[in-house]
Amino acid sequence: MSTQNQYAREDIGSHNSFFSTSRTTLETAFYGNNVKKISDLKEAYDLAAASPGTIITDMPIYEPEKIGLNPDAKVLLFNDGETTGRFAAGRRILGEKGVNEKEYTAKLREAVYHTRYRTLYHAQVCIGLDKDFIVRANLLIPEGHENILYNWMLNFQYFNDAYQKMFEQSKALNETDIIILSDPDWTHSQHPNGLSFFDSEHNCAAILGMRYFGEHKKGTLTLAWGIANRNGYVSCHGGLKKYFLNNDEQYVMGVFGLSGSGKSTITHAKHDHKYDITIIHDDAYIISTENGSSVALEPSYFDKTQDYPLTEPANKYLITVQNCGACLDENGKCVLVTEDIRNGNGRAIKSKLWADNRVDKLNEPINSVVWIMKDPVLPPVVKVNNATLAAVMGATLATKRTSAEKLLKDVDENALVMEPYANPFRTYPLKEDYDKFKILFEQRNVECYILNTGHFMDKKIPKELTLGIIEQIVEKKALFSTWGRFSDMQILNIEGFVPDMGDQEYVMSLEKSMKERIQFLYSRRGMNGGRDVLPPETLDVLVKALNEIEPFIRTNMKQAI
């Protein structure tokens, strides 16, 4: 078994690194006499359907028996209040500067104590869908929050006979089970918007004062990605797909981007059926640095409902929905009101059956990594030909915030931000991701591309153009050419989207963007006690690129004079 939850008596104690104050505090709560173990999805469905405020729609679940539900199961809708997105500012990671275990475990003890008068549900799932990587995870959550429990068991893989057998035959890891305590009703004057506390080294977390299901999904993945990182995998927040080409060749592409960047659209795109396509997932997977193979971490899809009107065929595969409206159709049936009419960031869990071309593992090594950005100085596609620069551009992935996040009042939602490797859920030093991606580029000869899915200056880049570019890359027909004086980056000459290096405004904006990347990496020295500092080579390669822009600035300024 890959992770363990039982110990020889002589191994129980402070001498065993598996134990910590945080983990022991949280794990102990699982054994209280007020805890009820949830056996399967059918029981979780019944609890959620009966939970006050749940809307049992008249929309049947497609082939429910295949995902472990009864034949008459319906799509359940449950809505939160003001908050309909993740609250990143509430995360506290043990090991980061200013996070004191003594202070936070005192809060954890109080949180556990105040659950004693309530029934707690204990659910168990696996993260990772292959015997090469499958870890056990446990959630403890109070009565009254059955929909979070049910969604959690749907989003991940509950232990049926097949997955129990897979787990028993899995590759052994020197790791404990993941354990998570959640109390959405918790309040604390120092954490008015909630607290998500992680002791990643010991695979445990507490999610307190937060109702939004996405906190539980990403909180669980946070710990699973930490385990993967310690065991030779690249932890990936993105999508992965394999193209079968006419000449019997295959091409595997991984796309990395935050919510709203287009990663799900790109991952699920069928390209007018030009190719046979297999996908592994659109949000969470891992890549082996040893052989380049990939494993999906989740079976289902947590998708936005904004772009899916009620009659959209994809809604056939809905299982649960969060933060959407409801109304009656012409036949008096209760149905959904999607398209974010009620609020932003409406969400749904879609069945694994949505993607008929889905697999849980790809043995074929990855061919390319694509950083999806929304930096207006970038043309629609850039090819990066230097392994260090390729890893650095991922570390300075530039994008914009979306409705999937709850922001503090003084945060500009339109500002360009850097989110390394599109993964705001990292609990380990940034260098560990940098090193692993560099291994892919340098030792495994993986190609690197940047796709801008936002605007090039003030001109929107259409989705159809992006998908066409991907087709050229996959078919090896993309003819990249020189971009200014950059020695390590090339572009496609696409009409209407060719950078004008004679335009002073554009070149100055390009310079500003590169300087912001340099400043971002430099700023890591003073954050979290320098935990996310990258090697000097990362700044060197960006300074080199900046110096390759400056001749155009001087030329343009002379012409202006």
Side-chain angles (χ1 to χ4, degrees), residues 259-260 302-308 345-348 350 402-404:
S259 176
F302 186 52
D303 202 16
K304 288 176 173 287
T305 58
Q306 179 180 6
D307 299 325
Y308 294 93
N345 199 40
R347 289 280 179 161
K350 290 179 180 174
T402 73
S403 61

Side-chain angles (χ1 to χ4, degrees), residues 119 161 190 241 284 371 404:
T119 297
D161 291 343
Q190 294 177 351
K241 65 196 299 187
W371 308 128

Side-chain angles (χ1 to χ4, degrees), residues 522-535:
Y522 190 79
S523 70
R524 301 304 93 183
R525 299 180 181 185
M527 298 187 65
N528 293 326
R531 195 164 182 255
D532 287 339
V533 170
L534 294 183

Side-chain angles (χ1 to χ4, degrees), residues 495-510:
E495 185 177 355
F497 295 96
V498 178
D500 183 357
M501 303 305 285
D503 182 332
Q504 183 175 351
E505 180 184 356
Y506 172 74
V507 176
M508 294 292 285
S509 297
L510 181 60

Side-chain angles (χ1 to χ4, degrees), residues 93 104 140 197 213 277 288 311 351 506:
I93 300 168
Y104 280 95
L140 191 64
F197 171 85
F213 170 68
I277 292 173
S288 169
T311 55
S351 165
Y506 172 74

